[in-house]
Amino acid sequence: MTLGRAADGMGPAQFRERFLQGEPVEGGVRASILGSWQRCQSLGLSPDQSDLPFREDFDPDSRIVRAAEPVLDRLQAAFSGSEINISVADASGTVLLRRFGEMSLARALPAIQRVPGFVFAERFAGTNGIGLALAERQLIRVFGAEHFAERSQANACVALPVRDPLSGRIEGVLCFGYPRSAETPALAVLIRKAADAVERRLLGQSSARERSLLRAYLATGAEDADGPHRVVALDEPPLDLLPRDRAILMEKAAELISRAQSTAVDVPLPGGRRATLMSRPMTSASGVEGIAIEAVLPGATSGDGEPTAVPHRADELQGLPPPPADAPAASRLARLTVTSLSTHLTDAAPAQAATDGTDGTDGTVDGAAHAHPEPPPAARGLVLVGEPHVGAYALAARRRLELLSEASVRIGTTLDVRRTAEELAETAVPRLADFVTIDLPEAVLRGEEAADPLSDLRRAVVHGIRDDLPFTPAGKRSEFGPTTPQGRCLTSGQAVLEPDLKAAAGWLANDPEHTERLLAHVHSLIAVPLVARGVVLGIASFYRAQDPAPLGDDDRSLALELAARAALSIDNARRYTHERTMVLALQRRLLPHGLPDQDAVEVAHRYLPAEADVGGDWYDVIPLSGTRIGLFVGDVVGHGMLSAATMGRLRTAARSFAELDFPPDEVLIHLDNLVGRLDREDPDGEGAGIIGATCLYAIYDPTSQRCVMARAGHPPPAIVHPDGNVSYPDLPAGPPLGLGGLPFDAVEVDLPEGSQLVLYTDGLIEDRHRDVDVVLEELREVLTDHPERAPEETCQAILDAVAPAHPCDDIALLVARTHALDPRQIATWELPADPAFVGDVRASAVRQLADWGLDEAAFAAELILSELVTNAVRHGSGPIRVRLLYDRTLICEVSDTSNTAPHLRRAAATDEGGRGLFLVAQLARTWGTRYLAEGKVIWAECELDGR
């Protein structure tokens, strides 16, 4: 990309001109540069502005200056003869130091580019290296027309923040400026090395302060040689304690130093032992104020034999500022050398024995020898020396580690997207932020990937220490402009820190009225993208309100870590939601869509998926010949897509076997063979088998009001009689489907009109927290209360009273209230197997149809009966039974005692017979054969006009 002046109309200059004219430039300019331009525009800066604020009160001897001067001197020597200028600015953007590779260059530059004291913060100077490095808080490169100001169009620069290694705070910015023709990637490597050198010198300054504190402590011991302190060498080994004891004392000592208090605390140690930590203020010869922490063995004496004096009041050290509340994780608390205790910390039991004057054995020792035990020698030594601020950093670092450890346990406990987001907010409040808002695209909440995270963001979570702040409420659409921290965060994919929201121009300009209300409560913000597996899932915003210290870079690092963990859990939940939605859609697609038209039973059904996953529960209602109705309910073991797909195959097969008019026990035999075959055909051969599927099949006949049922390892049905009596029929359980070779037994029961047959899967009654017998009794009570309820009401009552609150398995429920076919709608004749009686049956049938008002159907019915009875006489065996059923259709049935089945064939033109069943098939809507215990029934259904 050519780097030209704005007037050249090339490269970024072209985009800059388009931006200044209000045209869109997204995609043509780096996100950090575009964000800076937008902020400059919202601040009202002019590209022609040339004046910058000048500060005369900057400190020429500040820490950053002392640390950077030697480094800049070496850089100046390395760049000697070049056109590169080197500058160091403080955390506010004020330039403190300048160096030039060519001294003559300084004389040719304007004052703002050669004189220290000018402020290059973005809000004054527009897009530039120093200002953008402070705003983005990372390595920044700015080329030519990427500068907002006209004065810098011919220049390029690379800038990098310099941090205090102890606090992690930005102490300043190191910047290389040069003509854009001198651009080289090596400058980024060099500036990182130079910044590291400055940071090491900053650390050296802190180390010198700590060493002076140690010398002051040692000097105190030298002056008081008879006291409890003795001089120790700088390389003396640490306190002679077990590692776990030392870790406990060091942790408590760091906490005491961070409090800046003179006090004594009792510290319990493993094994019932105890130690006392004493903190006392001290000042080095150079005026550095700090804290020394000493460990004292309980009951120890001073060098003169007197008990050690332990202060018991906590006095704040005078002259020390309070420890910072925003203590960063990048901490270093100097573990200064400590004395070796003259004795190890001993167990409490021997110490108690010495106090009591016994040796802890059988009490038969010489009393004179133990009447006045000698006091234990002094056991006192230095544990830690440090400054309160440094101690606060160490304490904060440990607490951050504790928070991360807690986050690994608290975040992601469920596979629910919204709940996982809530867990992130609950973990961060109040230890990281006072308020947390989380915005997720609508697609992510549905389990899908968001094509554009900014297009459909919705507020998913609002959580904080109070509920009265004017945040956008949960469920509402979230609007973030491109200059807001959230917008910049989503665009760049990087966390954005705004330590001072009052100075965040883009945030203020997005919604001035709303942000003005928020500014009365919050003062700093971290916006973090929720990114998992390269996909942006949303954004989390962390606000600080009560703590006067603003959020810092270490807080941003912690927020990033929390967000990364939460994003992975959210993505897992999203993927699970997506898969569950697909499986549930497949499951519902494979279940019946509506109920068939029939008058045998009044049916209601429910399907309730498990909370964790979708299983293979199913039900079906199948109209059968002779106005009968088949009722299925089944359960395929396992969960997920495989179980749902297998359920669909099993239900289709079950329906096919049922429509062949097989009795229930035979249907189960066929299903058992099918499941076994599916298992054998499994290509994997293991792990995906479906052996264990259960099923219950019932056939109800409204003409006889009897029901035949059989089950394969399925829970028994409940029968509600019209008088309210509830029973569970003694129905043999049978093996689950797929075992093969075992029989299934069918049972026939009477179901008077108005009875209810309740079929269900094991998810309704089986629960790890409840006994099955107790649940069955609860079901009985629910069904007994109101036997007159409609099936829909019965279904809801059962789910409300019996179903588990959080079902671990699917629940399929089918309730059928029985009806009876009016005897006046049934006509029956019996005749011997004699062709002479065929005419009489036809005449009787025509008269019956006339009585029913079905004269229009008489012709077809007469022909159908004639052919069926003739076939029975010719090919079957007597006696022959003829039955007409008047329901939604006219059903003609002819039964005999023979088991031979008729076959439809197409007769040739020269054949004298073979056209009877063909004629029946043309006249009837459908026809078929069903077998009885003895014999068979051939039936045909005729359509009725208007039915």
Side-chain angles (χ1 to χ4, degrees), residues 737-817:
L737 299 176
L739 295 182
L742 298 176
F744 298 95
D745 296 324
V747 171
E748 186 173 336
V749 296
D750 291 323
L751 290 181
E753 184 175 13
S755 301
Q756 290 194 64
L757 185 62
V758 180
L759 311 180
Y760 51 87
T761 56
D762 56 4
L764 178 70
I765 61 173
E766 293 184 3
D767 184 16
R768 68 186 66 178
H769 305 296
R770 302 183 300 174
D771 184 80
V772 172
D773 293 335
V774 174
V775 179
L776 289 176
E777 188 59 34
E778 292 177 356
L779 177 60
R780 184 195 301 272
E781 293 175 0
V782 171
L783 297 175
T784 303
D785 288 344
H786 299 281
E788 76 286 353
R789 275 186 300 221
E792 284 287 346
E793 297 174 351
T794 301
C795 280
Q796 194 59 48
I798 291 173
L799 293 181
D800 291 342
V802 182
H806 304 283
C808 300
D809 195 6
D810 293 21
I811 297 175
L813 178 62
L814 190 66
V815 177
R817 180 192 292 278

Side-chain angles (χ1 to χ4, degrees), residues 248-310:
I248 293 172
L249 294 179
M250 291 294 291
E251 179 178 341
K252 191 62 178 179
E255 182 179 342
L256 292 177
I257 289 178
S258 69
R259 293 179 184 175
Q261 294 177 340
S262 174
T263 186
V265 295
D266 193 39
V267 181
L269 298 174
R273 296 163 298 137
R274 311 188 75 83
T276 300
L277 287 183
M278 298 173 53
S279 67
R280 61 190 184 90
M282 55 188 310
T283 304
S284 69
S286 60
V288 178
E289 294 180 306
I291 301 289
I293 306 296
E294 297 171 314
V296 180
L297 186 67
T301 59
S302 63
D304 57 3
E306 294 297 326
T308 302
V310 179

Side-chain angles (χ1 to χ4, degrees), residues 390-411:
V390 180
Y393 301 148
L395 185 63
R398 187 176 72 249
R399 288 175 177 170
R400 283 186 170 86
L401 289 175
E402 291 172 352
L403 181 58
L404 287 176
S405 176
E406 180 181 335
S408 65
V409 176
R410 292 187 61 180
I411 299 176

